[in-house]
Amino acid sequence: MSAVIDNHHADHAHGPAKGPMRWILTTNHKDIGSMYLWFSFAMFLLGGTLAMVIRAELFQPGLQLVQPEFFNQMTTMHGLIMVFGAVMPAFVGLANWMVPLMIGAPDMALPRMNNFSFWLLPAAFGLLISTLFMEGGAPNFGWTFYAPLSTTYGPDSTTFFIFAIHLAGISSIMGAINIIATILNLRAPGMTLMKMPLFVWTWLITAFLLIAVMPVLAGVVTMMLMDIHFGTSFFNAAGGGDPVLFQHIFWFFGHPEVYIMILPAFGAVSMIIPAFSRKPLFGYTSMVYATGAIAFLSFSVWAHHMFTVGIPLTGELFFMYATMLIAVPTGVKVFNWATTMFRGSLTFEAPMLFAIAFVILFTIGGFSGLMLAIAPADFQYHDTYFVVAHFHYVLVPGAIFGIFASAYYWLPKWTGYMYDEVLAKTHFWMSFVGMNLAFFPMHFVGLAGMPRRIPDYNMMFANFNMVSSVGAFMFGATQLLFLFIVIKCVRGGKPAPAKPWDGAEGLEWTVPSPAPYHTFSTPPEVK
Amino acid sequence: MKTEGLSTASLVKRLLLLVVGMFAFGFLLVPIYDVMCQAFGINGKTAGSVWQGQEQVDMQREVRVQFVSSNAEGMRWSFGPEDNEIMLHPGEARTVNFLAHNPTDRVMVAQAIPSVAPSRAAAFFHKTECFCFTQQVLQPGESIEMPVRFVVDPALPNDVRRLTLAYTLFDVTERMAASLDLAAVHTN
Ligand code: HEM
Ligand SMILES: [Cu+2]
């Protein structure tokens, strides 16, 4: 294994190659990390554009801008692009950049595979996005693609969607294998498991979750493919199949998937909060075990998405209590973050602002999750905007703010320059206000019964929806500011020292900023 | 660099094995699901067709059984029960006829899929004979009377006083043209 890395080093001993081939053929973890991050940001802007179409249509009751069929394509593509194209690749990009630097490794364990897993993504999303221009339109059955809506009644482009999911899934699985191999085999001497930074720990656990459930997702889309083209009846009642089976298999993947999107953010925030509180993290060990517990429990709660399909009473009770149980390790984490800040010498640079907002707003999302976990209450809330409010509160200020916090925290290390703090704080406050305006009213309209995924609504929801749309436009616009901040920081600014944050800990701050093309060719000594 | 534990090559091999295993597990969920539904009579799936309970009729109790029919999308037959509901004693075997008519000008094959509500009663609803055990072939304009013979188990929980047997009729003409041995798949 080390032989592979040594060869690779010999090729590139003098830094990056020149021209576009550098990016196409690169096996350097920093190059690949940057490509993942730029790709995910492009997908974030595209998925966001679709969200703007949705919110523009919902600005007023009635149909104004788009037809219902197109509206359905927008909700579907928005969800798919954000989940598989924006959030997941962003975390893989962060892992590529930071995991080797944090554990003192020269690169990822499998650099060639790393290149391949990245380049599968543009192929996957090229395929998926091309469906928007096909006759019959893009997938329109929601990001959860329930059969038979997606099989018997799906548009012709469904087959392209299936292959896109296959490619994205293979990419994720290879990425996960690479991350596990790197963490288990390339740690610097002295870097024991319980000395690893939490971002590394949460990614290790996330990678195992990915390996466990991405193949199940591949399986379920394969079954769809067979039902559509080869006359099988996995989900077709006429042939002896069962549509409810689809939901079980999908959510067996789907619930762990939501933790795949949040655990790495937990890890990043667990490093950023101590840095800006100038105190070590409170309860490191309990953080590790809580992450493990969440990952383990996430396999036993999937049917909380299916309370209303007619599962037996004992099933409802089991999944209700199991779901509530997950709130316990999650609560441990929130407690640890709050305690870390308690009596710390806090400063509020952009990474810390995003991290604090993460803790508060993610907790709100956790509470609405607990409300949804009450099976009898879920009969009222299911498929309403309350669910939309819940998962946007855990995903936007959760996953996405976690990514923003990480980006600002490590940008000086990546670019060698400090980002513009005033602009970054503007970005934070616009995002914070925008997302709360957009998603908080959804709790109310949801409780009052406004169904999700419908382009029109009752007059009585008009005011709240207008507020939501204004908030969404504000949130969307400020992401262009983020793009500007990043470009500005790449191009220049105040030079960043090796360790720009005085409270930060970790090996990544022992190398110069920007991090040289090759780092830790000789492993550092960890005491 | 640490090399205690597994080498990267064998670690990757094990992880790949896990990937293959989980892919297979996804498909394994299909039979697991069927077995669970059969065993617990959940999801309105009625238990196995053969019933060997004694013919012990519970004269103390009366249960209302309702019949509902619907056509799956694209199915043009007229289809419905002769009686909308009957009263019976648990343990008593009864027969009800469903009528179907093919108004089109082509030969068509249909498959009826049953479901019982409330779902926790499904395990106590035994069909001894049912047109849903096989497929129906109707010539253009042909009509047919199709019996379902069933027993409600005397062990039915006391608070269940009303059962609904629902059939959805699917047009399977095209699938049957493609593969004629699918009939064996659904026997419930
Ligand atoms: C305390 C923790 C949580 C609890 C108790 C919880 C509970 C629930 C429940 C019961 C539902 C189903 C609602 C329905 O469809 O009627 C749901 C939906 C959802 N949750 Fe959570 N959740 C929690 C945390 C999270 C996290 C951390 C994420 C992601 C980062 C997440 C993402 C989602 C998503 C995406 C959906 C909606 C899926 C869909 O139907 O499109 N949840 N949650
Ligand atoms: Cu869930």
Side-chain angles (χ1 to χ4, degrees):
Chain A
M1 146 219 86
S2 59
V4 174
I5 288 166
D6 291 347
N7 284 344
H8 151 75
H9 269 218
D11 297 344
H12 292 273
H14 309 292
K18 299 272 176 292
M21 284 324 250
R22 161 179 177 188
W23 300 103
I24 294 171
L25 297 179
T26 184
T27 54
N28 179 287
H29 74 101
K30 300 183 185 87
D31 282 354
I32 294 177
S34 302
M35 289 199 294
Y36 263 111
L37 288 169
W38 278 112
F39 175 82
S40 88
F41 192 51
M43 289 298 117
F44 179 59
L45 293 182
L46 176 65
T49 308
L50 306 188
M52 295 301 108
V53 175
I54 296 172
R55 279 321 317 174
E57 177 56 54
L58 293 177
F59 189 72
Q60 289 172 33
L63 292 180
Q64 281 91 27
L65 299 173
V66 297
Q67 292 306 304
E69 298 75 35
F70 189 71
F71 184 87
N72 290 345
Q73 296 172 31
M74 290 296 104
T75 54
T76 306
M77 295 292 276
H78 164 70
L80 290 170
I81 290 175
M82 286 303 196
V83 168
F84 296 104
V87 174
M88 291 170 70
F91 282 127
V92 181
L94 288 173
N96 258 292
W97 247 105
M98 301 319 298
V99 166
L101 284 180
M102 287 176 177
I103 62 175
D107 204 309
M108 298 293 281
L110 306 152
R112 279 163 221 269
M113 191 167 92
N114 204 8
N115 172 292
F116 187 48
S117 43
F118 170 75
W119 282 108
L120 279 177
L121 281 181
F125 285 87
L127 215 56
L128 186 65
I129 293 162
S130 71
T131 61
L132 277 168
F133 306 100
M134 286 178 188
E135 214 175 309
N140 55 4
F141 29 67
W143 85 277
T144 50
F145 52 97
Y146 282 8
L149 199 56
S150 59
T151 52
T152 316
Y153 307 105
D156 292 342
S157 60
T158 307
T159 308
F160 288 85
F161 152 81
I162 290 173
F163 284 127
I165 293 291
H166 271 140
L167 291 182
I170 294 171
S171 164
S172 293
I173 290 170
M174 292 197 309
I177 290 179
N178 209 345
I179 288 168
I180 294 177
T182 308
I183 297 175
L184 292 186
N185 279 2
L186 296 190
R187 272 171 291 130
M191 176 64 78
T192 58
L193 286 177
M194 289 314 272
K195 273 191 195 159
M196 293 194 315
L198 261 167
F199 182 72
V200 180
W201 253 118
T202 52
W203 240 116
L204 179 65
I205 292 169
T206 304
F208 274 106
L209 280 181
L210 278 168
I211 289 188
V213 299
M214 291 312 279
V216 176
L217 173 70
V220 76
V221 292
T222 306
M223 290 178 211
M224 280 173 60
L225 187 76
M226 289 160 76
D227 271 11
I228 294 172
H229 293 291
F230 306 123
T232 57
S233 299
F234 286 103
F235 310 127
N236 184 344
D242 194 330
V244 175
L245 170 66
F246 175 91
Q247 298 186 26
H248 279 290
I249 307 179
F250 178 81
W251 287 115
F252 184 86
F253 147 80
H255 188 80
E257 165 70 15
V258 306
Y259 283 98
I260 287 168
M261 292 190 282
I262 200 69
L263 292 184
F266 283 174
V269 165
S270 301
M271 300 180 70
I272 293 167
I273 287 182
F276 294 93
S277 306
R278 290 156 187 86
K279 270 175 68 186
L281 180 70
F282 182 87
Y284 172 91
T285 318
S286 68
M287 282 300 210
V288 172
Y289 284 111
T291 313
I294 290 173
F296 182 75
L297 287 175
S298 73
F299 287 101
S300 60
V301 300
W302 76 88
H304 64 213
H305 298 273
M306 306 170 56
F307 282 141
T308 57
V309 302
I311 51 179
L313 189 63
T314 41
E316 308 248 336
L317 287 171
F318 173 82
F319 286 107
M320 173 166 124
Y321 290 127
T323 303
M324 292 181 171
L325 204 59
I326 290 207
V328 176
T330 314
V332 168
K333 285 178 167 288
V334 174
F335 176 81
N336 286 347
W337 291 320
T339 313
T340 305
M341 285 187 273
F342 184 66
R343 291 197 164 163
S345 341
L346 274 63
T347 52
F348 301 96
E349 287 88 345
M352 184 62 163
L353 287 176
F354 276 108
I356 294 175
F358 172 99
V359 175
I360 296 167
L361 299 177
F362 175 80
T363 306
I364 295 179
F367 281 131
S368 58
L370 278 175
M371 287 172 71
L372 291 167
I374 304 168
D378 185 61
F379 276 72
Q380 165 78 12
Y381 309 152
H382 181 63
D383 266 347
T384 69
Y385 261 85
F386 191 79
V387 179
V388 179
H390 158 64
F391 67 73
H392 282 92
Y393 261 85
V394 282
L395 285 170
V396 177
I400 308 240
F401 276 20
I403 294 165
F404 286 151
S406 310
Y408 284 122
Y409 186 55
W410 286 304
L411 258 178
K413 182 58 57 189
W414 300 336
T415 64
Y417 300 109
M418 299 307 287
Y419 60 84
D420 185 327
E421 190 66 53
V422 174
L423 290 183
K425 283 191 173 141
T426 314
H427 172 227
F428 168 75
W429 284 109
M430 298 264 291
S431 296
F432 181 85
V433 174
M435 73 94 358
N436 278 298
L437 278 181
F439 300 119
F440 209 79
M442 290 182 185
H443 290 110
F444 306 132
V445 294
L447 290 180
M450 179 172 161
R452 63 191 282 208
R453 293 172 173 160
I454 308 281
D456 187 9
Y457 50 82
N458 191 304
M459 280 301 292
M460 68 176 180
F461 303 128
N463 292 344
F464 278 139
N465 271 286
M466 202 172 275
V467 174
S468 277
S469 290
V470 170
F473 297 147
M474 182 171 165
F475 183 85
T478 188
Q479 302 323 320
L480 299 176
L481 176 62
F482 179 58
L483 177 65
F484 176 77
I485 295 169
V486 173
I487 292 177
K488 186 165 174 231
C489 179
V490 170
R491 302 186 56 176
K494 191 170 144 260
K499 188 172 143 187
W501 316 115
D502 56 354
E505 298 275 347
L507 290 175
E508 75 263 37
W509 309 113
T510 63
V511 303
S513 298
Y517 200 57
H518 297 293
T519 37
F520 299 130
S521 302
T522 41
E525 199 63 51
V526 182
K527 298 147 281 170
Chain B
M1 222 167 298
K2 298 202 0 159
T3 37
E4 71 190 56
L6 293 167
S7 73
T8 299
S10 50
L11 179 63
V12 170
K13 248 180 241 151
R14 289 193 191 192
L15 292 175
L16 281 175
L17 220 64
L18 192 62
V19 170
V20 175
M22 287 311 293
F23 186 72
F25 177 73
F27 282 83
L28 200 66
L29 284 173
V30 179
I32 292 177
Y33 176 77
D34 283 342
V35 168
M36 299 280 274
C37 287
Q38 290 276 341
F40 300 109
I42 42 186
N43 204 22
K45 289 210 170 179
T46 46
S49 50
V50 199
W51 188 56
Q52 278 124 345
Q54 309 90 327
E55 294 280 312
Q56 210 179 48
V57 183
D58 180 353
M59 298 303 288
Q60 306 305 314
R61 208 150 52 116
E62 258 200 329
V63 179
R64 185 189 300 272
V65 181
Q66 303 180 311
F67 306 99
V68 180
S69 67
S70 61
N71 284 7
E73 172 150 320
M75 183 50 160
R76 295 188 45 210
W77 291 14
S78 55
F79 169 59
E82 216 168 40
D83 304 306
N84 286 329
E85 62 174 48
I86 58 173
M87 300 294 294
L88 54 67
H89 298 291
E92 167 189 13
R94 291 285 285 269
T95 305
V96 169
N97 282 321
F98 278 67
L99 307 173
H101 169 69
N102 175 3
T104 67
D105 53 7
R106 59 194 182 100
V107 184
M108 284 178 69
V109 190
Q111 170 70 52
I113 302 289
S115 161
V116 171
S119 54
R120 68 197 171 97
F124 303 96
F125 190 91
H126 307 287
K127 295 193 280 326
T128 55
E129 188 191 326
C130 177
F131 56 94
C132 57
F133 294 166
T134 57
Q135 290 169 342
Q136 274 65 44
V137 185
L138 287 194
Q139 302 300 318
E142 191 186 353
S143 295
I144 188 176
E145 193 169 275
M146 309 178 295
V148 49
R149 190 170 170 78
F150 60 89
V151 181
V152 174
D153 202 316
L156 180 77
N158 267 324
D159 57 324
V160 182
R161 301 212 188 78
R162 190 172 61 186
L163 287 168
T164 307
L165 173 62
Y167 283 104
T168 308
L169 196 68
F170 289 87
D171 176 4
V172 293
T173 314
E174 263 170 52
R175 332 172 46 87
M176 294 329 290
S179 57
L180 273 164
D181 50 354
L182 263 181
V185 175
H186 30 75
T187 42
N188 51 329

